[in-house]
Amino acid sequence: MKNLRLLFGKGNSIGQYGMIIALIVIVAFFAWRTNGLILEPTNVINLFLQYSYILILALGMVMVIIAGHIDLSVGSVAAFVGIIVAQSMSVWQWPAWAAILLGLGVGALVGAWQGFWVAFVRVPAFIVTLAGQLIFRGANQIIGQSTSVPTPDSYNGIGAGFLGDFGPDFGYSNGTLLLGLVTIIALIIIEIRGRARRRKMQAEVPPLWVSVVRTGVLVVVTLIATYLFGAGPVGTSVPIVAIILGVLTILYGFITKNTIFGRQVYAVGGNSNAAVLSGVSARKVNFFVMANMSVLAAIAGMVFVGYSNASGPADGTGWELDAIAAVFVGGAAVAGGIGTISGSIIGGLVMALLSNGLQLMGIESNKVQIIRGLVLLVAVAFDVYSKSQGRPSLIGGMMRQFQRKDTEQNTVAAQQPRSIEDQPEKVNVQ
């Protein structure tokens, strides 16, 4: 039994991976109810094309929520950046690459603006981003004059394009097959290097069969995904936006798990006063968390504009709610300090598959919204109840087996910065 638990990470139980199990159950249920339609390659490809921008938002939102804040402006910021990028190409005749750089720059400026109010003026993020929601929605309408602005084909590939194909026709996308092969090799190398690292540090090394089974499961999932993306209609393959999402997921997973800044975000969200006393600059953490969220909102907005082939006045409406729902379903704590990148992606996939499956069953959109709301409420309530009973957070603990467990990297010293770059906030002790 001890070795079995190592498949899920030391200290975790099989029950702690409820959302992974829920994801599998949802797929199986809708595969049965739709006669396998939900697992058709065309549907899977369209699913990523339609929902990837929400998953990109979830990557930033989980860091905001871990730090103890909330961002209600991401939809409006995405629409604001989208209309500027569309205008730069359609009206100002900028090339696509310049428009993308402009969009990233605007997102960074918006994030710096909101981060300043949250971190240095100390206005609650809820109020700052609520104001931002109104400001940038209005700015979107003014710049675009409440009309749609088309974008050129040279740009639309980032949201609606696919990985290029090459070589002889085997009935599958060769580009997708190659990407799948590279991913499988990377998974095997990561597992081998992880075992070697643990031996070098004289840490506990799980039995070989545990590594084989764990890696085997990931390889099988990769093979299934490779088939689904590679077996679509001619001209389709892995969407470019899915590759962008994958790169961002790896990047932010590394930042949150393996960098001092990532540990500081958890420290500030878990106990801000204790973090400040230990030398963490809460102001700096809060500033960069909010700024980063707006940059990712800019990326999501540009991706959506590419997918839609135009920027419209209704873009971004309700996106913040979808991103927040994905993060909370994925295991983040309302009070902050808990959450994972991988968990948020799984939460987003659960919500996306739920909507997609219900639509394929012919359920009207109003009822779909009700069901999604109930799923969010039950997921968070179940997590709160588990913690109130003194048990570990069932959702918050999932996916920890993918985090490094090197004891030296998880010490208190590793969580603190090497120096204090600014004066920490005063703490009133009564």
mmCIF file with all atom_site columns, all heavy atoms in Angstrom, residues 260-279:
data_model
loop_
_atom_site.group_PDB
_atom_site.id
_atom_site.type_symbol
_atom_site.label_atom_id
_atom_site.label_alt_id
_atom_site.label_comp_id
_atom_site.label_asym_id
_atom_site.label_entity_id
_atom_site.label_seq_id
_atom_site.pdbx_PDB_ins_code
_atom_site.Cartn_x
_atom_site.Cartn_y
_atom_site.Cartn_z
_atom_site.occupancy
_atom_site.B_iso_or_equiv
_atom_site.pdbx_formal_charge
_atom_site.auth_seq_id
_atom_site.auth_comp_id
_atom_site.auth_asym_id
_atom_site.auth_atom_id
_atom_site.pdbx_PDB_model_num
ATOM 1   N N   . ILE A 1 260 ? 12.318 31.202 -6.423 1.00 0.00 ? 260 ILE A N   1
ATOM 2   C CA  . ILE A 1 260 ? 12.090 31.922 -5.166 1.00 0.00 ? 260 ILE A CA  1
ATOM 3   C C   . ILE A 1 260 ? 10.819 32.748 -5.251 1.00 0.00 ? 260 ILE A C   1
ATOM 4   O O   . ILE A 1 260 ? 10.025 32.786 -4.307 1.00 0.00 ? 260 ILE A O   1
ATOM 5   C CB  . ILE A 1 260 ? 13.305 32.816 -4.842 1.00 0.00 ? 260 ILE A CB  1
ATOM 6   C CG1 . ILE A 1 260 ? 14.513 31.950 -4.486 1.00 0.00 ? 260 ILE A CG1 1
ATOM 7   C CG2 . ILE A 1 260 ? 12.993 33.772 -3.695 1.00 0.00 ? 260 ILE A CG2 1
ATOM 8   C CD1 . ILE A 1 260 ? 15.781 32.728 -4.254 1.00 0.00 ? 260 ILE A CD1 1
ATOM 9   N N   . PHE A 1 261 ? 10.594 33.400 -6.402 1.00 0.00 ? 261 PHE A N   1
ATOM 10  C CA  . PHE A 1 261 ? 9.388  34.220 -6.542 1.00 0.00 ? 261 PHE A CA  1
ATOM 11  C C   . PHE A 1 261 ? 8.127  33.369 -6.387 1.00 0.00 ? 261 PHE A C   1
ATOM 12  O O   . PHE A 1 261 ? 7.161  33.788 -5.733 1.00 0.00 ? 261 PHE A O   1
ATOM 13  C CB  . PHE A 1 261 ? 9.386  34.916 -7.902 1.00 0.00 ? 261 PHE A CB  1
ATOM 14  C CG  . PHE A 1 261 ? 8.121  35.690 -8.171 1.00 0.00 ? 261 PHE A CG  1
ATOM 15  C CD1 . PHE A 1 261 ? 7.891  36.899 -7.559 1.00 0.00 ? 261 PHE A CD1 1
ATOM 16  C CD2 . PHE A 1 261 ? 7.154  35.187 -9.035 1.00 0.00 ? 261 PHE A CD2 1
ATOM 17  C CE1 . PHE A 1 261 ? 6.732  37.615 -7.790 1.00 0.00 ? 261 PHE A CE1 1
ATOM 18  C CE2 . PHE A 1 261 ? 5.989  35.891 -9.279 1.00 0.00 ? 261 PHE A CE2 1
ATOM 19  C CZ  . PHE A 1 261 ? 5.778  37.112 -8.662 1.00 0.00 ? 261 PHE A CZ  1
ATOM 20  N N   . GLY A 1 262 ? 8.121  32.177 -6.989 1.00 0.00 ? 262 GLY A N   1
ATOM 21  C CA  . GLY A 1 262 ? 6.960  31.305 -6.869 1.00 0.00 ? 262 GLY A CA  1
ATOM 22  C C   . GLY A 1 262 ? 6.666  30.957 -5.421 1.00 0.00 ? 262 GLY A C   1
ATOM 23  O O   . GLY A 1 262 ? 5.505  30.961 -4.980 1.00 0.00 ? 262 GLY A O   1
ATOM 24  N N   . ARG A 1 263 ? 7.705  30.670 -4.644 1.00 0.00 ? 263 ARG A N   1
ATOM 25  C CA  . ARG A 1 263 ? 7.512  30.339 -3.232 1.00 0.00 ? 263 ARG A CA  1
ATOM 26  C C   . ARG A 1 263 ? 7.043  31.559 -2.441 1.00 0.00 ? 263 ARG A C   1
ATOM 27  O O   . ARG A 1 263 ? 6.273  31.445 -1.485 1.00 0.00 ? 263 ARG A O   1
ATOM 28  C CB  . ARG A 1 263 ? 8.808  29.778 -2.651 1.00 0.00 ? 263 ARG A CB  1
ATOM 29  C CG  . ARG A 1 263 ? 9.229  28.467 -3.313 1.00 0.00 ? 263 ARG A CG  1
ATOM 30  C CD  . ARG A 1 263 ? 10.454 27.870 -2.626 1.00 0.00 ? 263 ARG A CD  1
ATOM 31  N NE  . ARG A 1 263 ? 10.878 26.644 -3.316 1.00 0.00 ? 263 ARG A NE  1
ATOM 32  C CZ  . ARG A 1 263 ? 11.867 26.589 -4.190 1.00 0.00 ? 263 ARG A CZ  1
ATOM 33  N NH1 . ARG A 1 263 ? 12.550 27.682 -4.476 1.00 0.00 ? 263 ARG A NH1 1
ATOM 34  N NH2 . ARG A 1 263 ? 12.191 25.460 -4.777 1.00 0.00 ? 263 ARG A NH2 1
ATOM 35  N N   . GLN A 1 264 ? 7.505  32.734 -2.861 1.00 0.00 ? 264 GLN A N   1
ATOM 36  C CA  . GLN A 1 264 ? 7.067  33.950 -2.188 1.00 0.00 ? 264 GLN A CA  1
ATOM 37  C C   . GLN A 1 264 ? 5.583  34.216 -2.420 1.00 0.00 ? 264 GLN A C   1
ATOM 38  O O   . GLN A 1 264 ? 4.895  34.736 -1.538 1.00 0.00 ? 264 GLN A O   1
ATOM 39  C CB  . GLN A 1 264 ? 7.909  35.134 -2.674 1.00 0.00 ? 264 GLN A CB  1
ATOM 40  C CG  . GLN A 1 264 ? 9.341  35.101 -2.165 1.00 0.00 ? 264 GLN A CG  1
ATOM 41  C CD  . GLN A 1 264 ? 10.165 36.245 -2.724 1.00 0.00 ? 264 GLN A CD  1
ATOM 42  O OE1 . GLN A 1 264 ? 9.758  36.925 -3.672 1.00 0.00 ? 264 GLN A OE1 1
ATOM 43  N NE2 . GLN A 1 264 ? 11.336 36.461 -2.150 1.00 0.00 ? 264 GLN A NE2 1
ATOM 44  N N   . VAL A 1 265 ? 5.092  33.885 -3.601 1.00 0.00 ? 265 VAL A N   1
ATOM 45  C CA  . VAL A 1 265 ? 3.659  34.052 -3.880 1.00 0.00 ? 265 VAL A CA  1
ATOM 46  C C   . VAL A 1 265 ? 2.841  33.209 -2.916 1.00 0.00 ? 265 VAL A C   1
ATOM 47  O O   . VAL A 1 265 ? 1.847  33.680 -2.325 1.00 0.00 ? 265 VAL A O   1
ATOM 48  C CB  . VAL A 1 265 ? 3.340  33.669 -5.342 1.00 0.00 ? 265 VAL A CB  1
ATOM 49  C CG1 . VAL A 1 265 ? 1.831  33.687 -5.576 1.00 0.00 ? 265 VAL A CG1 1
ATOM 50  C CG2 . VAL A 1 265 ? 4.024  34.616 -6.310 1.00 0.00 ? 265 VAL A CG2 1
ATOM 51  N N   . TYR A 1 266 ? 3.237  31.950 -2.716 1.00 0.00 ? 266 TYR A N   1
ATOM 52  C CA  . TYR A 1 266 ? 2.543  31.086 -1.767 1.00 0.00 ? 266 TYR A CA  1
ATOM 53  C C   . TYR A 1 266 ? 2.664  31.629 -0.347 1.00 0.00 ? 266 TYR A C   1
ATOM 54  O O   . TYR A 1 266 ? 1.712  31.571 0.440  1.00 0.00 ? 266 TYR A O   1
ATOM 55  C CB  . TYR A 1 266 ? 3.108  29.665 -1.829 1.00 0.00 ? 266 TYR A CB  1
ATOM 56  C CG  . TYR A 1 266 ? 2.623  28.857 -2.998 1.00 0.00 ? 266 TYR A CG  1
ATOM 57  C CD1 . TYR A 1 266 ? 3.367  28.771 -4.162 1.00 0.00 ? 266 TYR A CD1 1
ATOM 58  C CD2 . TYR A 1 266 ? 1.409  28.176 -2.942 1.00 0.00 ? 266 TYR A CD2 1
ATOM 59  C CE1 . TYR A 1 266 ? 2.934  28.030 -5.247 1.00 0.00 ? 266 TYR A CE1 1
ATOM 60  C CE2 . TYR A 1 266 ? 0.956  27.425 -4.020 1.00 0.00 ? 266 TYR A CE2 1
ATOM 61  C CZ  . TYR A 1 266 ? 1.726  27.353 -5.171 1.00 0.00 ? 266 TYR A CZ  1
ATOM 62  O OH  . TYR A 1 266 ? 1.281  26.623 -6.240 1.00 0.00 ? 266 TYR A OH  1
ATOM 63  N N   . ALA A 1 267 ? 3.851  32.147 0.009  1.00 0.00 ? 267 ALA A N   1
ATOM 64  C CA  . ALA A 1 267 ? 4.065  32.664 1.358  1.00 0.00 ? 267 ALA A CA  1
ATOM 65  C C   . ALA A 1 267 ? 3.182  33.871 1.641  1.00 0.00 ? 267 ALA A C   1
ATOM 66  O O   . ALA A 1 267 ? 2.558  33.970 2.706  1.00 0.00 ? 267 ALA A O   1
ATOM 67  C CB  . ALA A 1 267 ? 5.539  33.031 1.540  1.00 0.00 ? 267 ALA A CB  1
ATOM 68  N N   . VAL A 1 268 ? 3.096  34.793 0.680  1.00 0.00 ? 268 VAL A N   1
ATOM 69  C CA  . VAL A 1 268 ? 2.263  35.985 0.855  1.00 0.00 ? 268 VAL A CA  1
ATOM 70  C C   . VAL A 1 268 ? 0.789  35.606 0.944  1.00 0.00 ? 268 VAL A C   1
ATOM 71  O O   . VAL A 1 268 ? 0.041  36.143 1.766  1.00 0.00 ? 268 VAL A O   1
ATOM 72  C CB  . VAL A 1 268 ? 2.506  36.981 -0.296 1.00 0.00 ? 268 VAL A CB  1
ATOM 73  C CG1 . VAL A 1 268 ? 1.476  38.111 -0.272 1.00 0.00 ? 268 VAL A CG1 1
ATOM 74  C CG2 . VAL A 1 268 ? 3.912  37.554 -0.211 1.00 0.00 ? 268 VAL A CG2 1
ATOM 75  N N   . GLY A 1 269 ? 0.358  34.680 0.111  1.00 0.00 ? 269 GLY A N   1
ATOM 76  C CA  . GLY A 1 269 ? -1.039 34.263 0.147  1.00 0.00 ? 269 GLY A CA  1
ATOM 77  C C   . GLY A 1 269 ? -1.388 33.478 1.385  1.00 0.00 ? 269 GLY A C   1
ATOM 78  O O   . GLY A 1 269 ? -2.508 33.577 1.906  1.00 0.00 ? 269 GLY A O   1
ATOM 79  N N   . GLY A 1 270 ? -0.432 32.688 1.899  1.00 0.00 ? 270 GLY A N   1
ATOM 80  C CA  . GLY A 1 270 ? -0.708 31.882 3.083  1.00 0.00 ? 270 GLY A CA  1
ATOM 81  C C   . GLY A 1 270 ? -0.756 32.697 4.354  1.00 0.00 ? 270 GLY A C   1
ATOM 82  O O   . GLY A 1 270 ? -1.647 32.520 5.189  1.00 0.00 ? 270 GLY A O   1
ATOM 83  N N   . ASN A 1 271 ? 0.196  33.616 4.517  1.00 0.00 ? 271 ASN A N   1
ATOM 84  C CA  . ASN A 1 271 ? 0.239  34.471 5.703  1.00 0.00 ? 271 ASN A CA  1
ATOM 85  C C   . ASN A 1 271 ? 1.110  35.668 5.370  1.00 0.00 ? 271 ASN A C   1
ATOM 86  O O   . ASN A 1 271 ? 2.338  35.604 5.462  1.00 0.00 ? 271 ASN A O   1
ATOM 87  C CB  . ASN A 1 271 ? 0.798  33.709 6.913  1.00 0.00 ? 271 ASN A CB  1
ATOM 88  C CG  . ASN A 1 271 ? 0.645  34.482 8.199  1.00 0.00 ? 271 ASN A CG  1
ATOM 89  O OD1 . ASN A 1 271 ? 0.773  35.699 8.227  1.00 0.00 ? 271 ASN A OD1 1
ATOM 90  N ND2 . ASN A 1 271 ? 0.371  33.770 9.287  1.00 0.00 ? 271 ASN A ND2 1
ATOM 91  N N   . SER A 1 272 ? 0.492  36.752 4.973  1.00 0.00 ? 272 SER A N   1
ATOM 92  C CA  . SER A 1 272 ? 1.219  37.921 4.501  1.00 0.00 ? 272 SER A CA  1
ATOM 93  C C   . SER A 1 272 ? 2.118  38.497 5.585  1.00 0.00 ? 272 SER A C   1
ATOM 94  O O   . SER A 1 272 ? 3.272  38.862 5.327  1.00 0.00 ? 272 SER A O   1
ATOM 95  C CB  . SER A 1 272 ? 0.238  38.985 4.006  1.00 0.00 ? 272 SER A CB  1
ATOM 96  O OG  . SER A 1 272 ? 0.932  40.124 3.534  1.00 0.00 ? 272 SER A OG  1
ATOM 97  N N   . ASN A 1 273 ? 1.616  38.594 6.822  1.00 0.00 ? 273 ASN A N   1
ATOM 98  C CA  . ASN A 1 273 ? 2.414  39.168 7.904  1.00 0.00 ? 273 ASN A CA  1
ATOM 99  C C   . ASN A 1 273 ? 3.660  38.337 8.184  1.00 0.00 ? 273 ASN A C   1
ATOM 100 O O   . ASN A 1 273 ? 4.756  38.873 8.366  1.00 0.00 ? 273 ASN A O   1
ATOM 101 C CB  . ASN A 1 273 ? 1.569  39.281 9.171  1.00 0.00 ? 273 ASN A CB  1
ATOM 102 C CG  . ASN A 1 273 ? 0.532  40.378 9.062  1.00 0.00 ? 273 ASN A CG  1
ATOM 103 O OD1 . ASN A 1 273 ? 0.634  41.258 8.213  1.00 0.00 ? 273 ASN A OD1 1
ATOM 104 N ND2 . ASN A 1 273 ? -0.479 40.327 9.924  1.00 0.00 ? 273 ASN A ND2 1
ATOM 105 N N   . ALA A 1 274 ? 3.494  37.023 8.226  1.00 0.00 ? 274 ALA A N   1
ATOM 106 C CA  . ALA A 1 274 ? 4.640  36.150 8.469  1.00 0.00 ? 274 ALA A CA  1
ATOM 107 C C   . ALA A 1 274 ? 5.642  36.249 7.323  1.00 0.00 ? 274 ALA A C   1
ATOM 108 O O   . ALA A 1 274 ? 6.861  36.222 7.543  1.00 0.00 ? 274 ALA A O   1
ATOM 109 C CB  . ALA A 1 274 ? 4.174  34.703 8.642  1.00 0.00 ? 274 ALA A CB  1
ATOM 110 N N   . ALA A 1 275 ? 5.136  36.364 6.095  1.00 0.00 ? 275 ALA A N   1
ATOM 111 C CA  . ALA A 1 275 ? 6.032  36.485 4.937  1.00 0.00 ? 275 ALA A CA  1
ATOM 112 C C   . ALA A 1 275 ? 6.856  37.767 5.019  1.00 0.00 ? 275 ALA A C   1
ATOM 113 O O   . ALA A 1 275 ? 8.059  37.770 4.760  1.00 0.00 ? 275 ALA A O   1
ATOM 114 C CB  . ALA A 1 275 ? 5.226  36.459 3.642  1.00 0.00 ? 275 ALA A CB  1
ATOM 115 N N   . VAL A 1 276 ? 6.221  38.868 5.417  1.00 0.00 ? 276 VAL A N   1
ATOM 116 C CA  . VAL A 1 276 ? 6.927  40.139 5.538  1.00 0.00 ? 276 VAL A CA  1
ATOM 117 C C   . VAL A 1 276 ? 7.991  40.061 6.627  1.00 0.00 ? 276 VAL A C   1
ATOM 118 O O   . VAL A 1 276 ? 9.123  40.527 6.453  1.00 0.00 ? 276 VAL A O   1
ATOM 119 C CB  . VAL A 1 276 ? 5.927  41.281 5.830  1.00 0.00 ? 276 VAL A CB  1
ATOM 120 C CG1 . VAL A 1 276 ? 6.660  42.558 6.203  1.00 0.00 ? 276 VAL A CG1 1
ATOM 121 C CG2 . VAL A 1 276 ? 5.043  41.525 4.614  1.00 0.00 ? 276 VAL A CG2 1
ATOM 122 N N   . LEU A 1 277 ? 7.638  39.453 7.758  1.00 0.00 ? 277 LEU A N   1
ATOM 123 C CA  . LEU A 1 277 ? 8.596  39.322 8.852  1.00 0.00 ? 277 LEU A CA  1
ATOM 124 C C   . LEU A 1 277 ? 9.790  38.452 8.466  1.00 0.00 ? 277 LEU A C   1
ATOM 125 O O   . LEU A 1 277 ? 10.884 38.616 9.010  1.00 0.00 ? 277 LEU A O   1
ATOM 126 C CB  . LEU A 1 277 ? 7.902  38.738 10.088 1.00 0.00 ? 277 LEU A CB  1
ATOM 127 C CG  . LEU A 1 277 ? 6.897  39.675 10.781 1.00 0.00 ? 277 LEU A CG  1
ATOM 128 C CD1 . LEU A 1 277 ? 6.176  38.934 11.896 1.00 0.00 ? 277 LEU A CD1 1
ATOM 129 C CD2 . LEU A 1 277 ? 7.607  40.917 11.330 1.00 0.00 ? 277 LEU A CD2 1
ATOM 130 N N   . SER A 1 278 ? 9.594  37.537 7.539  1.00 0.00 ? 278 SER A N   1
ATOM 131 C CA  . SER A 1 278 ? 10.692 36.672 7.104  1.00 0.00 ? 278 SER A CA  1
ATOM 132 C C   . SER A 1 278 ? 11.525 37.311 5.995  1.00 0.00 ? 278 SER A C   1
ATOM 133 O O   . SER A 1 278 ? 12.479 36.705 5.514  1.00 0.00 ? 278 SER A O   1
ATOM 134 C CB  . SER A 1 278 ? 10.148 35.322 6.631  1.00 0.00 ? 278 SER A CB  1
ATOM 135 O OG  . SER A 1 278 ? 9.403  35.481 5.435  1.00 0.00 ? 278 SER A OG  1
ATOM 136 N N   . GLY A 1 279 ? 11.161 38.520 5.591  1.00 0.00 ? 279 GLY A N   1
ATOM 137 C CA  . GLY A 1 279 ? 11.964 39.235 4.606  1.00 0.00 ? 279 GLY A CA  1
ATOM 138 C C   . GLY A 1 279 ? 11.388 39.294 3.214  1.00 0.00 ? 279 GLY A C   1
ATOM 139 O O   . GLY A 1 279 ? 12.030 39.822 2.298  1.00 0.00 ? 279 GLY A O   1
#
